[in-house]
Amino acid sequence: MAGLRLGPLLRYVDWDTGSAATIWVEADRPCTAEVRCADGAAGSARTFQIAGHHYALVPVTGLTSGNTTAYEVLLDGVRVWPLPGTSFPPSTISTPAVAGPGRPAPGLLVTFGSCRAAPPADGRGPHGPDALDTLAARLAADPEAVRPDLLLLLGDQVYADNLSRETKRWIAARRDIREAPGAQVADYEEYTRLYYESWLDPEIRWLLSTVPSLQIFDDHDVVDDWNTSAAWLAEMRATPWWQERVLSGLMSYWVYQHLGNLSPAELEADALYGAVRRSPDGTDELRAFASSADTDPGTARWSYRRDFGRSRLLMVDTRAARVLAEDGRAMLDPAEQQWLRENALEGHGGYDHLLIGSSLPWLMPPLIHDAEAWNAALCRGERGPRWARIGEDLRRRSDLEHWAAFPASFAALSDLIEEVGTGPRAPATVCVLSGDVHHAYVAEPLIPSTARVFQLTCSPVHNSIHTAVKLGFRLGWSRLGRWLGRGFSRHGRTGRPPVSWRRTSGPWFGNQLMTLALAGRTARLRLDQAHKGRRGGDGARLVTVLDRELTGP
């Protein structure tokens, strides 16, 4: 009898008709996965096989717009979800009420964050309470509570290079960790362990079964500072373990995260997905795709677009689509940059809010921005070969690889945001949603736009930050930091950034989630932090530390 190994994950919910959804599962053997809803909606799919594992992405049809319905999962006709004896509420699919005559487009409630290190099995890790776990517990305890329409997970969903004690022991039992890559993930099988460890957490498993999620990778999904420079990449490719690591990282990302980002229509048109499903074992097809994506990033697109009523999300790949040649460094290659531009401007005037998902922040603390631009100038030889060598070492040691480290890309994104946000067709807001930097803040550019423009950064969901780094971020936002940054600019001959900005909220440090509420042309932002329970109480709790209108004066 087939068993449910992981999932279900509710991934896509249709916002055009409110009638369709997709649910992802992993089974322990080949089977037919089926979803049955209490209102009669249903769907089924045969599993496909990758590296001995069996997956299905089940298209559910016949849903009713503006409705919430419970569902169950069956494998070969046997119910496997909900789990027997569960204390969690039923998993549900909620569909938006589709706009029509006299009925405005529905609003959007999106919760986002990044950087979630899986909690240890005994719950006694060094990072404090998990914000996503705490959110799940709160929603499960109150089935009538308002749930997000969407979870946006902005990178580092798993850490391939920083493993828990339990996973290190598991890996040591299957291979010699004295050989590279040591106590890090080496292959696809070890990647599956990371997803089990993260997504089998009972609260997280229930949350992902009932709140739709969209995801994108960042560096730790593969390795710290992934694709930071051409020199870094050449060194990694010279190691005996790197190829298997990066191919396994891309393969597992495609299976566990990327497929669920796509709509049923996009899945139907996806040649690789079709080939994998038709094959008795799709491992070779997926491995060939991953190899091509690694050597020629233009052969794959990890970015995607979703429209939610009158809100548009553009999720941008800021890792795999880079151009690393020092004389032409770019965060996005030309095709990716064109994709972003076309999708931001298509139907301009037809949406009220533009969300740009970027795992890496566009607007950083000014000192850090200037340091990254200075470092990029050194590495391309502006101060000679000796400074170029120093610059490359600093880049890797200090993680100098955000948008500011790609000056042409920073300018292009700034220009695009100003273009989209200006004029009579401008949306009410343009928000860049980011994580990565292990603190949270709101920054606003000083540009003559019609729209309100924001950098909304929220990280980590569950991780920590060294005190020295925390002090560095505080310095980076200070007046002294701005003054020091000008010194970097003079030495690197970079000039001033093409746009100025100011921090208007934050910074905050801790495990946290931001929630953006969009309705009509209004936007409201909330930041919740996970705090330990009160003395004598049980569990953790979410504490709201920011609640502000974004579209007011």
Side-chain angles (χ1 to χ4, degrees):
M1 184 176 70
L4 184 65
R5 178 169 282 179
L6 188 61
L9 274 75
L10 175 60
R11 296 303 310 272
Y12 172 89
V13 171
D14 176 46
W15 276 62
D16 292 328
T17 65
S19 64
T22 62
I23 290 179
W24 181 99
V25 297
E26 181 180 351
D28 63 5
R29 65 192 65 190
C31 62
T32 297
E34 183 182 0
V35 173
R36 295 178 185 172
C37 299
D39 67 355
S44 66
R46 189 71 186 168
T47 57
F48 60 89
Q49 178 172 310
I50 301 294
H53 293 257
H54 307 279
Y55 309 95
L57 191 58
V58 181
V60 180
T61 58
L63 295 164
T64 303
S65 69
N67 185 48
T68 296
T69 181
Y71 72 88
E72 59 183 14
V73 177
L74 299 88
L75 300 180
D76 284 342
V78 177
R79 194 178 86 161
V80 295
W81 186 267
L83 297 176
T86 182
S87 61
F88 288 96
S91 297
T92 59
I93 303 173
S94 295
T95 55
V98 177
R103 188 169 60 244
L108 176 67
L109 191 68
V110 54
T111 294
F112 64 95
S114 79
C115 307
R116 182 177 181 265
D122 61 9
R124 297 179 181 177
H127 304 312
D130 182 329
L132 201 61
D133 214 72
T134 307
L135 172 65
R138 185 172 77 177
L139 294 178
D142 182 5
E144 301 303 315
V146 176
R147 299 177 184 177
D149 297 308
L150 175 66
L151 285 175
L152 204 56
L153 304 178
L154 292 166
D156 296 343
Q157 275 69 262
V158 295
Y159 280 72
D161 53 357
N162 189 6
L163 309 182
S164 69
R165 297 185 300 271
E166 294 83 3
T167 295
K168 286 178 182 178
R169 285 195 292 266
W170 179 83
I171 288 176
R174 70 186 299 263
R175 63 175 171 85
D176 187 352
I177 62 173
R178 292 172 297 181
E179 298 180 3
Q184 297 187 23
V185 165
D187 58 24
Y188 188 91
E189 186 65 27
E190 292 177 9
Y191 263 106
T192 67
R193 166 77 184 194
L194 298 186
Y195 285 101
Y196 299 160
E197 182 177 52
S198 183
W199 291 355
L200 284 176
D201 174 314
E203 285 77 17
I204 298 300
R205 192 178 194 183
W206 174 81
L207 181 70
L208 294 178
S209 77
T210 204
V211 178
S213 60
L214 290 173
Q215 306 176 21
I216 193 70
F217 47 43
D218 199 20
D219 55 343
H220 291 284
D221 291 270
V222 177
V223 72
D224 189 25
D225 298 339
W226 177 31
N227 284 344
T228 193
S229 69
W232 177 93
L233 185 58
E235 290 181 18
M236 296 299 285
R237 285 177 171 170
T239 65
W241 58 272
W242 172 248
Q243 183 180 33
E244 187 60 37
R245 168 72 155 269
V246 70
L247 296 191
S248 297
L250 292 175
M251 291 169 67
S252 60
Y253 174 77
W254 186 85
V255 170
Y256 286 87
Q257 298 190 52
H258 178 69
L259 279 180
N261 295 330
L262 305 181
S263 69
E266 290 169 324
L267 290 167
E268 189 68 27
D270 191 292
L272 174 62
Y273 183 57
V276 165
R277 293 185 67 202
R278 288 190 299 270
S279 174
D281 185 344
T283 307
D284 289 344
E285 288 89 345
L286 181 54
R287 188 176 182 85
F289 167 81
S291 179
S292 178
D294 176 49
T295 56
D296 181 7
T299 62
R301 169 153 294 135
W302 304 107
S303 302
Y304 55 90
R305 166 182 157 183
R306 287 289 310 277
D307 289 339
F308 301 91
R310 291 186 60 84
S311 299
R312 175 170 297 175
L313 169 68
L314 301 179
M315 185 68 86
V316 183
D317 164 20
T318 59
R319 282 291 168 186
R322 294 179 174 185
V323 177
L324 298 179
E326 292 297 343
D327 59 353
R329 273 173 67 84
M331 183 70 83
L332 310 177
D333 65 31
E336 200 74 13
Q337 183 65 44
Q338 184 64 23
W339 176 90
L340 176 59
R341 178 175 177 79
E342 288 176 354
N343 281 277
L345 293 175
E346 181 183 324
H348 192 205
Y351 55 83
D352 293 325
H353 304 278
L354 176 62
L355 310 179
I356 300 176
S358 167
S359 63
L360 303 177
W362 163 52
L363 302 179
M364 294 276 287
L367 172 58
I368 296 174
H369 177 101
D370 291 337
E372 294 198 0
W374 164 77
N375 179 261
L378 297 188
C379 291
R380 66 174 178 263
E382 291 292 335
R383 302 293 296 192
R386 177 174 172 271
W387 275 107
R389 291 191 296 272
I390 294 172
E392 177 65 24
D393 182 64
L394 282 173
R395 176 155 57 194
R396 299 189 200 183
R397 290 178 183 272
S398 304
D399 293 346
L400 303 179
E401 51 155 1
H402 300 85
W403 285 90
F406 301 82
S409 297
F410 177 86
L413 180 59
S414 301
D415 289 345
L416 176 61
I417 288 172
E418 184 171 349
E419 181 179 357
V420 170
T422 302
R425 295 188 296 175
T429 66
V430 179
C431 298
V432 180
L433 313 182
S434 305
D436 180 69
V437 292
H438 288 212
H439 71 299
Y441 60 89
V442 179
E444 298 182 52
L446 306 177
I447 56 177
S449 62
T450 308
R452 295 293 301 273
V453 179
F454 299 92
Q455 169 68 65
L456 306 178
T457 303
C458 184
S459 169
V461 170
H462 182 244
N463 213 310
S464 52
I465 186 171
H466 294 296
T467 300
V469 178
K470 185 186 298 187
L471 293 174
F473 281 130
R474 291 193 183 278
L475 174 62
W477 285 114
S478 68
R479 289 185 178 181
L480 175 59
R482 290 180 182 272
W483 179 80
L484 292 171
R486 295 188 185 99
F488 284 121
S489 299
R490 287 191 295 270
H491 183 262
R493 302 166 183 160
T494 62
R496 301 307 301 145
V499 62
S500 298
W501 61 95
R502 61 192 177 95
R503 172 178 51 86
T504 56
S505 294
W508 294 276
F509 299 89
N511 294 328
Q512 48 207 349
L513 291 164
M514 276 184 174
T515 297
L516 188 59
L518 307 174
R521 292 182 66 84
T522 68
R524 190 172 188 90
L525 179 70
R526 190 180 75 242
L527 175 67
D528 295 316
Q529 290 189 325
H531 289 193
K532 293 181 179 179
R534 294 184 177 90
R535 187 181 300 274
D538 294 327
R541 57 198 175 94
L542 289 178
V543 176
T544 299
V545 297
L546 173 71
D547 189 351
R548 62 171 278 195
E549 292 284 349
L550 298 183
T551 45

